[in-house]
Amino acid sequence: MKDSGNIKKTKINTKVSRRGFITKTALATGAITILPRHIFGRGFVAPSDRVNIGFIGLGKQSRGLANNFVGATNSQIIAACDVWSTKNEWFKGAVNKIYADKRNQNSYNGVTTYTNYKELLDRNDIDAVVIATPDHWHAIQAIDAMKAGKDVYCEKPLTHNINEGIDLVKTAKKQVKYCKLVVCNVLTKILEEPVNLLEMVTWEI
């Protein structure tokens, strides 16, 4: 669609939640009709209620984690990153196939892969990341993710040494208004109990 010349581009504050932005926009314009959720069918999850997830590190551990997240209706894996291109291709193919099967489609292509995790963190449409890289990368990538405004689930150990732990805690305290940090054993609790994934990112260490 071509720009009519009457529409001004507006810079959106990415720290504002999608639900909050949509609500304020609707009130300001009066242009959105709110439809009852039940008319979309049982199990329908609105895009504003869905957590978009990026995976960083695609080794064996990530495969089990991915299986857990793709089974949740309120989350969507949309990106993945590993320095090994073969792992990227395998993960992308496996996740896309699961989503295609869930949608009764012949194919699905909703996962983008990267070899540099910072490119994944640059995406504004990613809400949370799952970090399953080698241990010495955990704190570095968790800190970078929080600075990028992402919620973080990180495999244990959370840090490789004491200094990393200090830096990570400092970053978490600075970013606490915008993002949360979740460590490995919390996911076990989530999977054992019917907890909404959106609640996951409100739990702190």
Side-chain angles (χ1 to χ4, degrees), residues 43 45 50 66-77 95-108:
V45 178
R50 185 174 290 119
N67 286 333
N68 293 325
F69 281 106
V70 294
T73 59
N74 53 1
S75 69
Q76 180 86 10
I77 299 174
V95 173
N96 279 336
K97 184 179 185 306
I98 294 174
Y99 283 137
D101 292 342
K102 288 178 66 174
R103 290 167 170 77
N104 293 319
Q105 299 175 349
N106 292 328
S107 64
Y108 178 81

Side-chain angles (χ1 to χ4, degrees), residues 71-124:
T73 59
N74 53 1
S75 69
Q76 180 86 10
I77 299 174
I78 65 172
C81 174
D82 199 282
V83 295
W84 289 72
S85 58
T86 51
K87 291 183 179 180
N88 278 331
E89 291 304 312
W90 181 91
F91 187 90
K92 179 178 180 178
V95 173
N96 279 336
K97 184 179 185 306
I98 294 174
Y99 283 137
D101 292 342
K102 288 178 66 174
R103 290 167 170 77
N104 293 319
Q105 299 175 349
N106 292 328
S107 64
Y108 178 81
N109 189 28
V111 180
T112 304
T113 57
Y114 304 88
T115 54
N116 185 338
Y117 75 92
K118 291 186 178 180
E119 293 180 9
L120 183 151
L121 296 180
D122 284 340
R123 289 182 53 171
N124 292 327

